[in-house]
Amino acid sequence: MYAIEVQDLVKIYEGGIKALRGVSFNVMPGEIFGVIGPNGAGKTTLMRIIATLLKPTSGTVKVLGHDVVHEAEEVRKIISYLPEEAGAYPNLTGLEYLTFMAKFYTNNEKELQEMIRNAARICNLGKRLYDRIKSYSKGMVRRLLVARTLMMKPKIALLDEPTSGLDVLHALYIRNVIRNYAKKFGTTVLLSSHNMLEVDYLCDRVAIINKGRIIAIGNPEELKEKYSAANLEEVFAKAVRQ
Amino acid sequence: MSALRNLVSKEIKELFRDPKILIGMILVSIIIFPLLSKLVTYSVKSSTSLGRHFTIGLVDEDQTPLSRSLREYLTAIKNVDVIMYASTSQIGNLTQEVTAIIIIPKGFQANITSGLRAHIKVYTTFKPSSIFSQGSKGTFLTSLLKAYERYLSVLLLHNVAPNVNPSTILEPFNIKEGIFIKGKLIDIHPYAISQLLINYYFILPYSLLLLLLVSISISATAMAYEKERKTLETLLTLPISRVTIFLGKLIGSIIVALISSGAYVLGFTYYIRSIMNAVQAPISAGISRELLLKLGLLPTKLSYVLLSIVILMALISAISLALSLGAFAESVQSAQSISGILLPFIMIPWFLATFVDPSSLSLPVRLLLYAIPFTHVAIATRAAMENNYLALSIAALYLAIFTAIILYLTARFFSIEEKVLSSQLFKRWRRKS
Ligand SMILES: Nc1ncnc2c1ncn2[C@@H]1O[C@H](COP(=O)(O)OP(=O)(O)OP(=O)(O)O)[C@@H](O)[C@H]1O
Ligand SMILES: [Mg+2]
């Protein structure tokens, strides 16, 4: 069974904007799958539909066999979603936020502490976890949110630009965390990014989306060969211009 | 269940740590009101207390034995200083501060001895800062002069009829007041009763109105708050049902509203009480709750239970409405103005129902009034005072039905995720294009 199965997905927003015009692809269990594309290509729309936040205009999405429209509650138990533009509750401390989130995934005190330890390791905020979130920088909030997305070792992680706003070192660190999660716990990852280095380093397979359509799909090496490009950036540029 | 508890406790934590709520609602009640009451009590007390000194500027234009006797009378009173002025023209350049100026016009004695009414003019010094004590100053002086008037009457009567006790002529009878209620005669001063009942007739309905308004404003912003902080998307993808999220908001809002309006009401009650005590102290002493209860002037336990049901239903439906309306807003501010739509539906019928006798309204207006669910909270408060169980039950039933419908609609609304998210997405779309 596929981890994520997307078929002929179309999304037309209320204003008539066609964000997705028939997108199909499959993600294997344990795979890290990257979605790249220019601004407005439809990446976030795609993520939101898989995360059960938006309903498709037509087409289907299945997550481990569960339909995202008809079995939304089931799907939410499987996925963990990091929105592109997300925030946290400013009047809670980082630790309180993580505890609040972890409690939705377990009733067991030991498991809870385990999740919080995971999160603390991922976000690497140290003592700042005891401070109110309103005192955090943008990057610190992002790290907290990445940590909360991964702390419960989800079967499927949907990460919309996970390292946006992070400095080089923290971005590197988070990439390693994502890779380890996929390797160690078999977490399936679907991520979008504008950083080709990141995609090249992390992803087993990549889909390039433009104007709501997939224009290229394959593993990074295949794509570089196909477009006779030195790196993914060139692939991206050539694919989009075609 | 534990997910719900988790949501509620987060909601409460967040709200109580929000400086706006903390300062705006709680501190105002527990600091400003007691402070205010201390101030008012102080200024009322200081003006009535016997220890206070009165300085009276006296202008005696009459200069007769009678006018002099008034002056001697005033001078003899403890705490009163009298400063003499030869004429009113001197008053303009007073050096000493006076509490009041008394003028005895020419002809004071002549009028009295010839059987006519004489005049005395009393001018109390007016300062805007002493607005609270203004009345009592005047009252104090008037009572001094009344005593003198009585003394004069006795004197005059004595001259006419030396053998009669003057007080039987001046006050041939006493008045004892009481109340007549439910066929019984009770020796309680009506003023005392109304003073006791003000808690129930004024403070209770007022508190309920406040509670409704506070919970509406808290819950209306609850969803917008999540949108503004960009936490809603995450919340909606957690493994919890939409109904749980909605219930978490509902219960959180109710608890916070109860606490903050409770604090407010406590502060306000304290304020009203202490003012009343300062002004009219011991009249209501000696009237027990038991007596009032026996007279049917207080709600019984059953009335309280029915009233509580009415209040709970009203709270739940008002908050559900506000939550759904507020979900359309993209910012806390616009949520607040959207929830403003609800306010007239609560305030207008409320004031109509508390201040106007519904039976005096024309039939269509009355039906309209009764159709608005929140009217029934006001009606129920009144019915509880009169222990009118039928009216209370009707109100409870009507609100229960209304609440059930609202809850059903809201739960459905919240299970259609795109509606809840739509305005946020709409905003994104506008910004991008
Ligand atoms: N709520 C909405 N209503 C209408 N149109 C929308 C809405 N959200 C997005 N769109 C439109 O849908 C298209 C795809 O947007 P989407 O956010 O999915 O792009 P993206 O690939 O994530 O872009 P970026 O790289 O900038 O994040 C865009 O044309 C956008 O304007
Ligand atoms: Mg995007």
Side-chain angles (χ1 to χ4, degrees):
Chain A
M1 197 193 323
Y2 296 116
I4 303 170
E5 189 180 350
V6 178
Q7 226 157 49
D8 301 323
L9 192 62
V10 173
K11 175 68 189 181
I12 302 171
Y13 280 110
E14 267 175 39
I17 292 184
K18 290 181 182 154
L20 297 173
R21 304 161 185 248
V23 168
S24 304
F25 65 92
N26 302 315
V27 181
M28 304 294 168
E31 194 176 27
I32 302 184
F33 191 95
V35 178
I36 57 181
N39 294 132
K43 305 181 292 292
T44 299
T45 305
L46 174 66
M47 291 277 190
R48 281 195 169 133
I49 292 174
I50 303 174
T52 75
L53 289 172
L54 287 180
K55 292 211 164 57
T57 308
S58 68
T60 56
V61 177
K62 282 190 177 149
V63 172
L64 289 179
H66 298 287
D67 188 281
V68 292
V69 177
H70 303 112
E71 296 167 276
E73 299 220 1
E74 277 308 307
V75 172
R76 280 184 219 127
K77 287 179 192 151
I78 300 168
I79 58 156
S80 184
Y81 171 55
L82 173 68
E84 174 181 15
E85 249 184 279
Y89 303 100
N91 290 316
L92 298 186
T93 67
L95 191 64
E96 282 171 334
Y97 177 74
L98 293 174
T99 314
F100 166 65
M101 286 298 178
K103 278 186 180 163
F104 292 115
Y105 294 90
T106 179
N107 284 323
N108 179 313
E109 183 62 26
K110 258 178 82 181
E111 280 176 15
L112 188 80
Q113 292 310 323
E114 166 79 23
M115 283 180 195
I116 293 170
R117 264 199 305 280
N118 281 343
R121 221 174 296 134
I122 297 170
C123 67
N124 204 5
L125 282 165
K127 283 219 169 62
R128 294 302 303 272
L129 271 181
Y130 297 96
D131 292 342
R132 298 261 176 104
I133 293 170
K134 62 174 150 201
S135 74
Y136 288 10
S137 75
K138 196 176 98 195
M140 289 163 75
V141 174
R142 194 67 184 165
R143 276 149 60 196
L144 186 73
L145 293 174
V146 174
R148 100 88 214 148
T149 313
L150 295 175
M151 67 178 173
M152 75 300 282
K153 296 175 188 161
K155 288 204 185 95
I156 295 176
L158 305 170
L159 310 174
D160 201 348
E161 302 187 25
T163 58
S164 78
L166 295 191
D167 64 57
V168 177
L169 292 180
H170 278 110
L172 274 176
Y173 182 71
I174 294 291
R175 274 171 215 150
N176 277 321
V177 170
I178 294 172
R179 210 153 112 146
N180 282 340
Y181 260 70
K183 263 204 205 121
K184 262 205 230 154
F185 312 119
T187 302
T188 307
V189 179
L190 178 70
L191 65 82
S192 82
S193 179
H194 288 297
N195 186 324
M196 296 306 126
L197 228 70
E198 172 170 292
V199 176
D200 204 351
Y201 173 75
L202 275 179
C203 299
D204 303 312
R205 278 194 307 143
V206 179
I208 303 180
I209 300 193
N210 191 22
K211 295 182 183 151
R213 284 203 180 86
I214 293 186
I215 52 175
I217 191 163
N219 76 37
E221 297 311 316
E222 277 171 22
L223 287 176
K224 281 180 222 167
E225 220 168 282
K226 187 175 160 198
Y227 286 88
S228 43
N231 52 39
L232 263 188
E233 236 158 61
E234 259 180 59
V235 174
F236 183 89
K238 282 184 176 167
V240 171
R241 276 201 210 108
Q242 266 178 11
Chain B
M1 218 50 221
S2 75
L4 184 58
R5 209 173 54 217
N6 193 18
L7 276 171
V8 170
S9 76
K10 175 228 117 201
E11 205 69 20
I12 292 173
K13 244 187 242 165
E14 267 275 296
L15 283 171
F16 275 124
R17 287 184 190 168
D18 187 347
K20 262 173 284 166
I21 294 205
L22 205 63
I23 294 172
M25 285 169 179
I26 298 174
L27 294 190
V28 165
S29 333
I30 58 183
I31 294 181
I32 307 283
F33 273 137
L35 211 69
L36 210 63
S37 82
K38 279 273 173 312
L39 266 172
V40 173
T41 315
Y42 176 76
S43 62
V44 170
K45 275 223 177 88
S46 67
S47 61
T48 45
S49 74
L50 291 170
R52 193 195 145 113
H53 237 84
F54 275 73
T55 308
I56 293 171
L58 189 66
V59 183
D60 185 355
E61 294 174 338
D62 197 40
Q63 297 286 354
T64 54
L66 256 186
S67 71
R68 254 182 311 245
S69 91
L70 173 55
R71 177 175 121 206
E72 277 152 22
Y73 165 80
L74 287 173
T75 324
I77 295 168
K78 229 169 63 179
N79 302 327
V80 175
D81 283 341
V82 179
I83 306 172
M84 295 297 299
Y85 296 101
S87 72
T88 42
S89 60
Q90 276 189 346
I91 297 170
N93 33 22
L94 278 182
T95 46
Q96 207 176 343
E97 199 168 305
V98 295
T99 321
I101 290 170
I102 296 181
I103 299 173
I104 309 174
K106 227 177 174 41
F108 179 68
Q109 176 175 321
N111 273 334
I112 291 176
T113 46
S114 60
L116 290 173
R117 259 200 119 159
H119 299 281
I120 292 180
K121 291 178 177 166
V122 179
Y123 298 89
T124 42
T125 312
F126 181 80
K127 269 187 287 175
S129 60
S130 61
I131 195 113
F132 282 112
S133 52
Q134 198 65 37
S136 61
K137 259 193 295 194
T139 319
F140 180 68
L141 273 178
T142 316
S143 64
L144 283 185
L145 292 173
K146 282 270 178 237
Y148 176 71
E149 186 185 33
R150 195 181 146 86
Y151 159 79
L152 258 188
S153 312
V154 172
L155 209 72
L156 293 173
L157 270 174
H158 189 72
N159 286 345
V160 184
N163 301 326
V164 184
N165 180 359
S167 61
T168 49
I169 294 179
L170 288 173
E171 272 171 15
F173 60 86
N174 279 337
I175 302 170
K176 281 219 172 98
E177 285 189 67
I179 53 170
F180 177 57
I181 179 166
K182 301 195 175 154
K184 280 184 233 149
L185 300 171
I186 315 277
D187 289 329
I188 299 173
H189 199 283
Y191 184 74
I193 282 257
S194 45
Q195 213 184 5
L196 261 184
L197 291 177
I198 195 158
N199 280 343
Y200 297 91
Y201 283 80
F202 175 65
I203 293 180
L204 182 66
Y206 170 81
S207 314
L208 291 181
L209 181 59
L210 185 79
L211 180 64
L212 273 178
L213 299 183
V214 170
S215 24
I216 283 179
S217 89
I218 289 176
S219 52
T221 55
M223 295 312 287
Y225 184 87
E226 301 267 358
K227 284 181 191 172
E228 225 176 67
R229 305 282 184 264
K230 305 240 182 278
T231 49
L232 186 61
E233 275 189 273
T234 310
L235 193 66
L236 293 179
T237 54
L238 296 176
I240 41 175
S241 70
R242 296 287 184 267
V243 174
T244 311
I245 294 177
F246 160 68
L247 282 179
K249 294 273 175 210
L250 181 86
I251 297 172
S253 306
I254 289 186
I255 292 176
V256 175
L258 273 176
I259 294 176
S260 46
S261 52
Y264 195 84
V265 166
L266 232 66
F268 187 72
T269 314
Y270 179 73
Y271 169 67
I272 294 281
R273 282 251 180 96
S274 49
I275 292 178
M276 305 238 313
N277 282 344
V279 181
Q280 291 283 348
I283 297 185
S284 58
I287 307 175
S288 63
R289 266 184 61 84
E290 284 68 40
L291 178 64
L292 293 178
L293 211 55
K294 215 166 68 198
L295 293 176
L297 285 173
L298 291 186
T300 58
K301 284 216 178 66
L302 181 59
S303 292
Y304 273 126
V305 170
L306 288 170
L307 185 62
S308 307
I309 295 174
V310 169
I311 294 166
L312 193 68
M313 292 296 151
L315 266 181
I316 292 175
S317 52
I319 289 180
S320 309
L321 272 174
L323 269 174
S324 328
L325 276 180
F328 285 108
E330 38 194 89
S331 73
V332 168
Q333 217 176 7
S334 58
Q336 226 132 31
S337 38
I338 289 179
S339 76
I341 297 171
L342 281 177
L343 299 189
F345 287 100
I346 295 180
M347 310 267 277
I348 294 174
W350 194 285
F351 286 119
L352 277 179
T354 31
F355 293 124
V356 180
D357 184 7
S359 54
S360 70
L361 298 168
S362 70
L363 189 66
V365 177
R366 213 183 331 163
L367 285 179
L368 198 69
L369 193 63
Y370 284 143
I372 299 173
F374 299 109
T375 311
H376 292 267
V377 187
I379 291 175
T381 351
R382 193 181 271 186
M385 301 302 164
E386 292 158 2
N387 292 313
N388 183 344
Y389 300 134
L390 180 67
L392 272 168
S393 309
I394 290 175
L397 192 70
Y398 187 68
L399 270 165
I401 293 171
F402 175 69
T403 305
I405 295 172
I406 289 290
L407 265 182
Y408 172 75
L409 290 179
T410 320
R412 273 201 53 158
F413 169 75
F414 271 82
S415 61
I416 307 169
E417 33 270 279
E418 256 173 286
K419 281 267 163 50
V420 180
L421 265 175
S422 59
S423 48
Q424 181 194 24
L425 296 176
F426 183 59
K427 185 174 150 203
R428 277 174 49 80
W429 168 74
R430 264 203 316 223
R431 204 184 50 215
K432 278 195 173 166
S433 52

Short mmCIF file of all heavy atoms in Angstrom, two decimals, chain B residues 1-2 12 32-33 37 70 91 93 95 105 138-139 156 190 216 273 297 304 323 329 350 384 386 392 423:
data_model
loop_
_atom_site.label_atom_id
_atom_site.label_comp_id
_atom_site.label_asym_id
_atom_site.label_seq_id
_atom_site.Cartn_x
_atom_site.Cartn_y
_atom_site.Cartn_z
N MET B 1 -12.08 12.65 26.31
CA MET B 1 -12.32 13.46 27.52
C MET B 1 -11.07 14.19 27.94
O MET B 1 -11.08 15.36 28.24
CB MET B 1 -12.76 12.51 28.65
CG MET B 1 -13.84 13.10 29.54
SD MET B 1 -15.20 13.75 28.59
CE MET B 1 -15.54 15.24 29.46
N SER B 2 -9.92 13.47 27.88
CA SER B 2 -8.69 14.12 28.31
C SER B 2 -8.26 15.16 27.28
O SER B 2 -7.65 16.17 27.64
CB SER B 2 -7.59 13.09 28.51
OG SER B 2 -7.10 12.66 27.26
N ILE B 12 -7.79 28.43 29.15
CA ILE B 12 -7.83 29.25 30.35
C ILE B 12 -6.47 29.90 30.61
O ILE B 12 -6.37 31.08 30.91
CB ILE B 12 -8.28 28.40 31.55
CG1 ILE B 12 -9.74 28.00 31.34
CG2 ILE B 12 -8.12 29.14 32.85
CD1 ILE B 12 -10.25 27.02 32.35
N ILE B 32 -9.90 48.63 41.37
CA ILE B 32 -10.57 49.92 41.16
C ILE B 32 -11.82 50.05 42.02
O ILE B 32 -12.02 51.07 42.69
CB ILE B 32 -10.94 50.10 39.68
CG1 ILE B 32 -9.71 49.88 38.81
CG2 ILE B 32 -11.55 51.47 39.45
CD1 ILE B 32 -8.73 50.99 38.76
N PHE B 33 -12.66 49.01 42.02
CA PHE B 33 -13.91 49.14 42.76
C PHE B 33 -13.72 49.34 44.26
O PHE B 33 -14.27 50.26 44.84
CB PHE B 33 -14.83 47.94 42.49
CG PHE B 33 -15.67 48.13 41.28
CD1 PHE B 33 -15.86 47.12 40.37
CD2 PHE B 33 -16.28 49.35 41.03
CE1 PHE B 33 -16.63 47.30 39.24
CE2 PHE B 33 -17.05 49.56 39.91
CZ PHE B 33 -17.22 48.52 39.02
N SER B 37 -14.77 52.63 46.28
CA SER B 37 -15.70 52.61 47.40
C SER B 37 -15.06 53.23 48.63
O SER B 37 -15.70 53.93 49.39
CB SER B 37 -16.17 51.19 47.68
OG SER B 37 -15.22 50.51 48.44
N LEU B 70 -30.25 83.70 67.57
CA LEU B 70 -29.85 82.67 66.59
C LEU B 70 -28.33 82.55 66.55
O LEU B 70 -27.76 81.45 66.54
CB LEU B 70 -30.39 83.02 65.20
CG LEU B 70 -29.92 82.12 64.06
CD1 LEU B 70 -30.22 80.66 64.34
CD2 LEU B 70 -30.56 82.52 62.74
N ILE B 91 -18.51 89.73 51.92
CA ILE B 91 -18.29 88.31 51.65
C ILE B 91 -17.31 88.07 50.53
O ILE B 91 -16.51 87.14 50.55
CB ILE B 91 -19.64 87.62 51.32
CG1 ILE B 91 -20.54 87.73 52.54
CG2 ILE B 91 -19.45 86.16 50.96
CD1 ILE B 91 -21.96 87.33 52.28
N ASN B 93 -14.52 89.33 49.69
CA ASN B 93 -13.11 89.16 50.03
C ASN B 93 -12.90 88.42 51.34
O ASN B 93 -12.19 88.87 52.23
CB ASN B 93 -12.38 90.51 50.03
CG ASN B 93 -13.29 91.63 50.48
OD1 ASN B 93 -14.29 91.40 51.15
ND2 ASN B 93 -12.94 92.86 50.13
N THR B 95 -11.37 85.83 53.80
CA THR B 95 -10.04 85.23 53.87
C THR B 95 -10.14 83.80 54.36
O THR B 95 -9.43 82.91 53.92
CB THR B 95 -9.13 86.03 54.82
OG1 THR B 95 -9.86 86.31 56.01
CG2 THR B 95 -8.66 87.31 54.16
N PRO B 105 -31.97 88.31 57.02
CA PRO B 105 -32.33 89.60 56.39
C PRO B 105 -33.01 90.54 57.38
O PRO B 105 -33.52 90.11 58.43
CB PRO B 105 -33.31 89.19 55.30
CG PRO B 105 -33.25 87.71 55.22
CD PRO B 105 -32.80 87.23 56.55
N GLY B 138 -25.51 70.58 53.46
CA GLY B 138 -26.75 71.35 53.50
C GLY B 138 -27.73 70.76 54.49
O GLY B 138 -28.34 71.47 55.28
N THR B 139 -27.82 69.42 54.48
CA THR B 139 -28.75 68.75 55.38
C THR B 139 -28.41 69.05 56.83
O THR B 139 -29.29 69.30 57.66
CB THR B 139 -28.69 67.23 55.16
OG1 THR B 139 -28.61 67.00 53.78
CG2 THR B 139 -29.88 66.55 55.74
N LEU B 156 -42.42 80.82 71.38
CA LEU B 156 -43.59 81.61 71.01
C LEU B 156 -44.85 81.03 71.62
O LEU B 156 -45.70 81.75 72.14
CB LEU B 156 -43.72 81.66 69.49
CG LEU B 156 -42.62 82.43 68.76
CD1 LEU B 156 -42.76 82.29 67.25
CD2 LEU B 156 -42.66 83.91 69.15
N PRO B 190 -40.31 50.46 54.89
CA PRO B 190 -40.20 50.08 53.48
C PRO B 190 -38.81 50.35 52.92
O PRO B 190 -38.29 49.60 52.10
CB PRO B 190 -41.23 50.98 52.78
CG PRO B 190 -42.11 51.49 53.84
CD PRO B 190 -41.38 51.42 55.14
N ILE B 216 -19.63 36.60 25.58
CA ILE B 216 -19.71 36.80 24.13
C ILE B 216 -18.42 37.41 23.62
O ILE B 216 -17.86 36.96 22.61
CB ILE B 216 -20.91 37.70 23.79
CG1 ILE B 216 -22.19 36.88 23.89
CG2 ILE B 216 -20.76 38.27 22.39
CD1 ILE B 216 -23.42 37.65 23.59
N ARG B 273 -22.59 48.34 48.24
CA ARG B 273 -22.88 48.13 49.66
C ARG B 273 -22.21 49.17 50.53
O ARG B 273 -22.81 49.72 51.43
CB ARG B 273 -22.35 46.76 50.07
CG ARG B 273 -23.23 45.65 49.64
CD ARG B 273 -23.91 45.04 50.86
NE ARG B 273 -24.76 43.96 50.42
CZ ARG B 273 -24.37 42.69 50.43
NH1 ARG B 273 -23.17 42.37 50.89
NH2 ARG B 273 -25.17 41.77 50.02
N LEU B 297 -40.16 37.09 49.51
CA LEU B 297 -39.48 38.17 48.80
C LEU B 297 -38.15 37.72 48.21
O LEU B 297 -37.52 38.45 47.48
CB LEU B 297 -39.25 39.35 49.74
CG LEU B 297 -40.49 40.18 50.04
CD1 LEU B 297 -40.21 41.22 51.10
CD2 LEU B 297 -41.01 40.84 48.78
N TYR B 304 -33.98 29.13 42.29
CA TYR B 304 -32.56 29.24 41.96
C TYR B 304 -32.15 28.18 40.95
O TYR B 304 -31.42 28.46 40.00
CB TYR B 304 -31.69 29.12 43.21
CG TYR B 304 -31.47 30.44 43.91
CD1 TYR B 304 -31.77 30.59 45.26
CD2 TYR B 304 -30.94 31.53 43.23
CE1 TYR B 304 -31.57 31.80 45.91
CE2 TYR B 304 -30.74 32.74 43.86
CZ TYR B 304 -31.06 32.87 45.20
OH TYR B 304 -30.86 34.06 45.83
N LEU B 323 -19.11 32.19 18.96
CA LEU B 323 -18.01 31.40 18.40
C LEU B 323 -18.15 31.27 16.88
O LEU B 323 -17.19 31.44 16.14
CB LEU B 323 -17.99 30.01 19.02
CG LEU B 323 -17.15 29.79 20.28
CD1 LEU B 323 -17.38 28.39 20.83
CD2 LEU B 323 -15.68 29.99 19.98
N ALA B 329 -14.39 35.96 11.13
CA ALA B 329 -13.46 37.09 11.17
C ALA B 329 -12.03 36.61 11.00
O ALA B 329 -11.70 35.48 11.33
CB ALA B 329 -13.61 37.83 12.48
N TRP B 350 -33.36 43.07 27.03
CA TRP B 350 -33.04 43.03 28.45
C TRP B 350 -33.58 44.27 29.15
O TRP B 350 -34.27 44.19 30.16
CB TRP B 350 -31.52 42.97 28.62
CG TRP B 350 -31.16 42.61 30.01
CD1 TRP B 350 -31.22 43.41 31.11
CD2 TRP B 350 -30.75 41.33 30.45
NE1 TRP B 350 -30.86 42.71 32.21
CE2 TRP B 350 -30.56 41.43 31.83
CE3 TRP B 350 -30.51 40.13 29.81
CZ2 TRP B 350 -30.13 40.36 32.59
CZ3 TRP B 350 -30.09 39.08 30.57
CH2 TRP B 350 -29.91 39.20 31.95
N ALA B 384 -37.96 34.69 39.20
CA ALA B 384 -37.32 34.04 40.34
C ALA B 384 -37.58 34.83 41.62
O ALA B 384 -37.78 34.26 42.69
CB ALA B 384 -35.82 33.90 40.09
N GLU B 386 -40.18 36.49 42.28
CA GLU B 386 -41.57 36.27 42.70
C GLU B 386 -41.87 34.79 42.88
O GLU B 386 -43.01 34.43 43.12
CB GLU B 386 -42.51 36.89 41.66
CG GLU B 386 -42.41 38.40 41.63
CD GLU B 386 -42.87 39.00 40.32
OE1 GLU B 386 -43.32 38.25 39.43
OE2 GLU B 386 -42.78 40.24 40.19
N LEU B 392 -40.75 30.61 35.10
CA LEU B 392 -39.37 30.13 35.09
C LEU B 392 -39.22 28.89 34.22
O LEU B 392 -38.29 28.77 33.43
CB LEU B 392 -38.91 29.80 36.51
CG LEU B 392 -38.30 30.95 37.31
CD1 LEU B 392 -38.17 30.56 38.77
CD2 LEU B 392 -36.96 31.34 36.74
N SER B 423 -11.84 32.35 5.79
CA SER B 423 -11.46 33.76 5.76
C SER B 423 -9.95 33.91 5.81
O SER B 423 -9.38 34.83 5.24
CB SER B 423 -12.12 34.51 6.90
OG SER B 423 -11.95 33.81 8.08
#
